[in-house]
Amino acid sequence: MAVDIVMPQMGESIFEGTITKWLKKPGDKVERDEPLFEISTDKVDAEIPSPSAGVLKEIKVGEGQTVPIQTIVGVIDAAGSAAASSAPAPAKTAAPAPTKAPVAAAPALAPPRPAPPVPAAAPVAAPSASSTSERIHSSPLVRRMAKEHGIDLGTVAGTGAGGRISKQDIEAVIAAGGVPAAAPPGYSAPSPAPTSRPAPPPPPAAAPGVSGGQVHVALETAVPREKMYFGNYEVQPMSTMRQRIAEHMVASKRVSAHVYSVDEIDMTKVAALRAKSKDEFEKRYETKLTFMPFFVKAAVAGLRAYPTLNASLDGTNIVLHKEINVGIAVALDWGLLVPVVKNADEKNILGIQRTMNDLAERARTKKLKPEEVQESTFSITNPGVFGGLFGLPVISQPNVGILGLGAIEKRPVVINDSIAIRSMCYVTLSYDHRVVDGAIAHQFLHKVKETLENWNEPVL
């Protein structure tokens, strides 16, 4: 019996995935729930288990291909080991399958060409710019990209499943200078036409460095591709995760008005407490005690005192979050993820440490669920663990602040007119000046500093 392998939906807001690696090849035996292939989405990288035991009969979608959810990407012969001897035969004919996949996946991968003829009907379904956003099928990422670039989704033709507007559709519009390719022929969507965004594209060379959809055009104009390659070089394609990181970081720098504040914290008391308790902590709770949960607790104290930093911005509305969900940056061999410690204000040191260890381990083994990297209200990153004195991190959208931790090291400091050796740490706060002013930022840092330097919470 043939069992279809489908592209799973890895969260409510995810409607497509990229196969990054097949862990089995046609003819291989697989067990039920055994990792079969790896995918990358806008949220996480994950290993997808086999839906059935048997023999991998056919691979329909090759590595590097992006397809909508529920697309059949392969077939398993569930007859079991009895079919193993005959399975290799179809596996030989399965080789052309990858040529079949690009045909199905091509519209999703490269919509700029097919998109123009389709939008003829789009304006009919979108009579007004104000009412279309609720009826158009698109993901939060797509809506955010459209908002950042001033694109009316009612003028964009979706090439995804059921007419859904995909990220590639928006990228095609951005590459065209912010104007949907179908707008000129039909001219049935006049409302977006007069906006100020479409005006600059005709002379892209005259606007280097401008924001929005012209950034890529300006870069291509300013730096011809042939000039990028010289001498001895090696070209490596960016992984899907690396591309997503690049998109999110560029979007954050473009959207948020980044400002940075720096402070120095005396960690001597916390360092002494940790040194005294870490062995017993690990023995009793079977998990290591690091410095990070102390910083999380201190950040929670700061966010309670200054909730403006536990917020996000929606147009001209400031959204003050009641929950305190702290995203913790985790460095991986292939990129960076920010899993989220939900309701961090309700957890003690042990609860935070266990949650972080679990999230970090599953991030490294590609077991994270999409919802575990969503809904952060504030973030912390720790370049100090790699020896950095301090860093100025980019804000993780839609947060308005991120705390950067430097290395904890002993330095001479002046205390009561005497020089003493103390365990010191630089901390930085990157904040969005559209929402947070410098006074609030420094008061927040002072609260973090005060909490850590006067630590009084037991860890055992």
Side-chain angles (χ1 to χ4, degrees), residues 275-293:
K276 178 182 177 181
S277 308
K278 63 179 182 179
D279 292 338
E280 179 63 24
F281 188 93
E282 184 172 0
K283 180 180 178 181
R284 184 182 301 184
Y285 302 121
E286 297 182 346
T287 188
K288 291 184 177 181
L289 178 62
T290 67
F291 282 104
M292 184 59 80

Side-chain angles (χ1 to χ4, degrees), residues 411-422:
R411 291 196 289 270
V413 295
V414 177
I415 299 178
N416 296 326
D417 292 333
S418 298
I419 295 177
I421 304 299
R422 311 290 287 182

Side-chain angles (χ1 to χ4, degrees), residues 8 19 29 101 111 119 125 129-130 142 158 181 209 218 261 270 296-297 327 376:
I19 294 182
K29 290 184 62 176
S130 61
V142 166
S261 294
V270 171
V296 173
K297 292 288 287 185
S376 70

Side-chain angles (χ1 to χ4, degrees), residues 6-19 39-44 65-73 104-105 108-109 135-143 158-169 244 370 374:
V6 300
M7 175 64 70
Q9 182 168 15
M10 297 294 291
E12 291 183 2
S13 63
I14 296 176
F15 299 95
E16 63 185 13
T18 302
I19 294 182
I39 68 169
S40 182
T41 70
D42 287 341
K43 304 298 181 185
V44 294
Q65 299 296 316
T66 301
V67 294
I69 59 172
Q70 303 308 317
T71 299
I72 298 175
V73 300
L109 289 172
R135 295 202 298 263
I136 293 172
H137 298 295
S138 61
S139 68
L141 173 64
V142 166
R143 292 193 291 273
T159 59
R164 178 174 296 279
I165 298 176
S166 68
K167 181 172 67 65
Q168 287 80 8
D169 295 328
R244 299 298 172 265
Q374 297 174 332

Side-chain angles (χ1 to χ4, degrees), residues 371-426:
E371 58 267 25
E372 291 174 325
V373 295
Q374 297 174 332
E375 300 179 1
S376 70
T377 60
F378 187 78
S379 301
I380 299 177
T381 184
N382 186 14
V385 74
F386 302 107
L389 190 61
F390 64 83
L392 301 175
V394 177
I395 298 169
S396 178
Q397 297 297 320
N399 299 169
V400 297
I402 180 171
L403 187 68
L405 311 178
I408 298 174
E409 56 184 19
K410 291 186 176 182
R411 291 196 289 270
V413 295
V414 177
I415 299 178
N416 296 326
D417 292 333
S418 298
I419 295 177
I421 304 299
R422 311 290 287 182
S423 295
M424 305 299 293
C425 174
Y426 287 110

